[in-house]
Amino acid sequence: MIRDNLEKVRQRIQKADVHNQVTLIAVSKTKPASYLQQAIDAGQCHFGENYLQEALDKIEKLKGQNLIWHFIGPIQSNKTNKISQNFDWVHSVDRLKIAKRLNDQRSNNLGRLNVLLQVNIDNEPTKSGVLEGEIEQTVAHFENFQNILLRGFMCIPNPDNSEQSFKKMTQIMQKYPNLDTLSMGMSSDLELAIKNGATFVRIGSDIFGKRV
Ligand SMILES: *Cc1c(COP(=O)(O)O)cnc(C)c1O
């Protein structure tokens, strides 16, 4: 079942990904480690998780399999230490305070933690992320960090105008030639996101089934 779902998602991606630049992240929040193992057995290695304790349990259960773990959920200050030590990527850095803590807490021997700045691209009060007008100033600060590396941006656009917002993100990216990663697109809009410049898509329900 998960194997078939994964294959369908891969085919959708392949069809849209004319520049061959997209990596699939399987978003496994609320799903048990046994589901992730099925995806691993079908060749999946990037996983996205939203809740720290749940993620740590799965990371422990599935260790030794060369997986790449992405933290994509909201980040409270008291969670940064474990996030910095247990993940390869963090997509949901939405303020400098969090970036600084991740930088200070990441162990040197782990190498730099890849991070994305979350952008509240539609200026929605219910969503986290920096506003478009704050991006430039925020990005400049990342030069001071030795243990984290800013790779690009993540966004969760309003579904009502997601195409426009994806396009806006791609335009913003073009101002930063050193950045190479744009995390956008979920189950319902992955084709649109890829067509408009995504390099990571984060797919949950179309792989693992609906969350209850
Ligand atoms: C849950 C989640 C996803 C996956 O959404 P689906 O609609 O299930 O594909 C992607 N990104 C973030 C940030 C999420 O929280």
Side-chain angles (χ1 to χ4, degrees):
M1 182 65 167
I2 287 172
R3 178 179 289 270
D4 293 345
N5 291 346
L6 201 47
E7 188 49 38
K8 280 185 203 137
V9 168
R10 284 185 185 135
Q11 282 173 12
R12 285 168 64 194
I13 293 172
Q14 201 177 26
K15 207 164 159 209
D17 185 15
V18 292
H19 302 297
N20 206 6
Q21 63 178 14
V22 176
T23 299
L24 168 60
I25 300 174
V27 175
S28 41
K29 59 172 178 258
T30 78
K31 303 298 182 186
S34 60
Y35 283 34
L36 282 76
Q37 187 63 57
Q38 291 180 49
I40 297 164
D41 294 342
Q44 182 63 25
C45 62
H46 289 263
F47 290 92
E49 288 280 345
N50 294 57
Y51 311 110
L52 179 61
Q53 191 52 53
E54 182 196 323
L56 294 177
D57 292 345
K58 290 180 227 178
I59 291 171
E60 173 63 23
K61 281 197 179 116
L62 299 168
K63 69 184 173 199
Q65 302 191 82
N66 271 323
L67 305 179
I68 300 161
W69 293 96
H70 300 252
F71 194 85
I72 64 171
I75 305 178
Q76 298 154 278
S77 292
N78 64 346
K79 304 285 167 66
T80 52
N81 187 24
K82 286 199 166 140
I83 291 172
S84 75
Q85 302 298 340
N86 289 282
F87 286 81
D88 304 292
W89 287 79
V90 180
H91 294 222
S92 40
V93 175
D94 61 350
R95 53 199 191 276
L96 278 173
K97 181 187 172 193
I98 295 297
K100 181 169 180 353
R101 289 177 67 90
L102 290 170
N103 182 65
D104 292 346
Q105 293 167 334
R106 175 79 167 180
S107 301
N108 274 322
N109 66 322
L110 293 175
R112 288 173 95 173
L113 175 66
N114 293 298
V115 302
L116 303 177
L117 183 62
Q118 183 170 352
V119 177
N120 186 353
I121 191 64
D122 296 310
N123 201 348
E124 294 175 280
T126 56
K127 284 194 184 143
S128 41
V130 299
L131 300 176
E132 195 180 347
E134 301 168 330
I135 293 174
E136 195 173 331
Q137 208 190 2
T138 310
V139 166
H141 275 275
F142 281 79
E143 287 181 17
N144 303 319
F145 299 135
Q146 303 298 312
N147 297 322
I148 64 175
L149 181 62
L150 182 67
R151 297 288 299 271
F153 304 108
M154 183 271 251
C155 71
I156 309 171
N158 185 312
D160 293 337
N161 62 331
S162 52
E163 176 150 39
Q164 227 182 325
S165 304
F166 291 147
K167 283 195 200 316
K168 229 196 296 182
M169 287 305 312
T170 294
Q171 282 167 6
I172 293 167
M173 270 294 277
Q174 284 161 356
K175 296 189 208 164
Y176 302 97
N178 293 336
L179 304 182
D180 59 10
T181 304
L182 202 43
S183 171
M184 56 188 198
M186 319 202 311
S187 293
S188 57
D189 56 13
L190 75 89
E191 287 88 352
L192 213 51
I194 292 171
K195 193 177 131 215
N196 291 288
T199 66
F200 277 139
V201 290
R202 310 179 308 267
I203 311 301
S205 41
D206 281 0
I207 296 173
F208 296 112
K210 289 248 171 314
R211 292 175 298 272
V212 284

